[in-house]
Amino acid sequence: PSAHYVMDTVTHAGKLLEYSMSQQVKEPELVYGRYWHGSMFAYKLLFVIGNLSDVRWINFLICTFTMFAFSICFYKHFQPMDFYLTLLSLIFVNYYMIFHSMQFTPAFLIAFFGAMAVLKRIEMKKEVVSTFLIIGACTAYFDLLTVPALTVGLPMICWVLKQNSTSDFKADLKQLIQFGAVWICGFIGTWTFKWLLIYCFTDYSI
């Protein structure tokens, strides 16, 4: 918006956005036809009940509760030392700051929910390959290429920790490669489907 007008007196992000929508007369110079912000669908629902500051705090609370749910799930499945080291790793990446960012939180939410889903399916003695396919598809839809590898890495770590010490290393490695390949199929497949929709229903260049 700053390319179209100068407004030094307004500093609040919400007011700046409101001013931009009401005063901007110039069309955007660039349209990102290759992307869509899937997370914006959820955020728009939150904007019905609050402003930008409110939505950021709601987002923070949702992410915090999700992290606590993941921590409880992790504690039930693993040794205390694994649990403490995992929490320490979250502190090192400043998770409490990331949850204030509406761009970065989708990847972390998908990673936490994906890891819990993997642990639940292992507990129920069900296959987890399809879970990685769904995780990859959700990542392509909701995450704007921030930290997509996190969504496959954390569930993989949980799967590895669930393997016993007598498991076959080659078989486990083969299984991890399969998980990664399936995740990539879900990720690339969703991107391809997005491009197909854009090509069929819009005039945007992809």
Side-chain angles (χ1 to χ4, degrees):
S2 60
H4 304 316
Y5 57 84
V6 177
M7 186 175 60
D8 296 330
T9 58
V10 178
T11 56
H12 191 275
K15 292 294 184 181
L16 184 63
L17 180 60
E18 181 181 354
Y19 184 90
S20 172
M21 295 299 293
S22 62
Q23 300 296 326
Q24 182 173 325
V25 295
K26 184 178 179 181
E27 292 294 326
E29 297 178 357
L30 182 62
V31 175
Y32 290 97
R34 292 173 295 163
Y35 306 133
W36 67 37
H37 303 247
S39 58
M40 288 297 103
F41 172 78
Y43 287 134
K44 286 179 179 179
L45 297 178
L46 295 180
F47 276 116
V48 174
I49 61 176
N51 56 30
L52 181 61
S53 180
D54 297 332
V55 171
R56 281 178 172 166
W57 277 109
I58 294 172
N59 182 68
F60 178 83
L61 290 175
I62 292 173
C63 294
T64 301
F65 284 129
T66 302
M67 191 208 68
F68 278 122
F70 168 75
S71 299
I72 293 172
C73 180
F74 201 92
Y75 185 79
K76 289 181 178 179
H77 284 85
F78 302 111
Q79 298 296 323
M81 183 57 65
D82 296 328
F83 170 74
Y84 296 135
L85 289 175
T86 302
L87 290 185
L88 185 62
S89 69
L90 292 175
I91 293 174
F92 283 155
V93 298
N94 292 335
Y95 72 91
Y96 37 83
M97 296 298 296
I98 292 171
F99 289 172
H100 278 294
S101 169
M102 292 189 293
Q103 177 179 335
F104 280 86
T105 50
F108 277 80
L109 288 176
I110 293 171
F112 285 142
F113 280 115
M116 288 188 287
V118 167
L119 291 175
K120 184 65 175 178
R121 292 190 69 82
I122 293 176
E123 182 182 9
M124 298 172 63
K125 300 186 183 304
K126 295 183 177 181
E127 58 86 20
V128 298
V129 176
S130 59
T131 306
F132 282 90
L133 181 69
I134 296 172
I135 293 173
C138 290
T139 304
Y141 182 82
F142 288 103
D143 181 42
L144 188 61
L145 296 178
T146 51
V147 282
L150 178 69
T151 65
V152 65
L154 188 58
M156 276 187 176
I157 290 173
C158 291
W159 183 86
V160 169
L161 290 174
K162 289 296 289 184
Q163 306 310 302
N164 56 52
S165 58
T166 60
S167 60
D168 182 36
F169 173 77
K170 290 184 177 180
D172 290 347
L173 180 60
K174 183 179 179 180
Q175 186 69 74
L176 286 175
I177 293 174
Q178 183 183 16
F179 290 157
V182 170
W183 181 91
I184 291 174
C185 288
F187 187 86
I188 295 180
T190 304
W191 270 89
T192 305
F193 188 64
K194 290 197 300 185
W195 288 345
L196 180 63
L197 291 177
I198 293 170
Y199 179 79
C200 293
F201 297 105
T202 75
D203 58 354
Y204 295 155
S205 172
I206 60 172

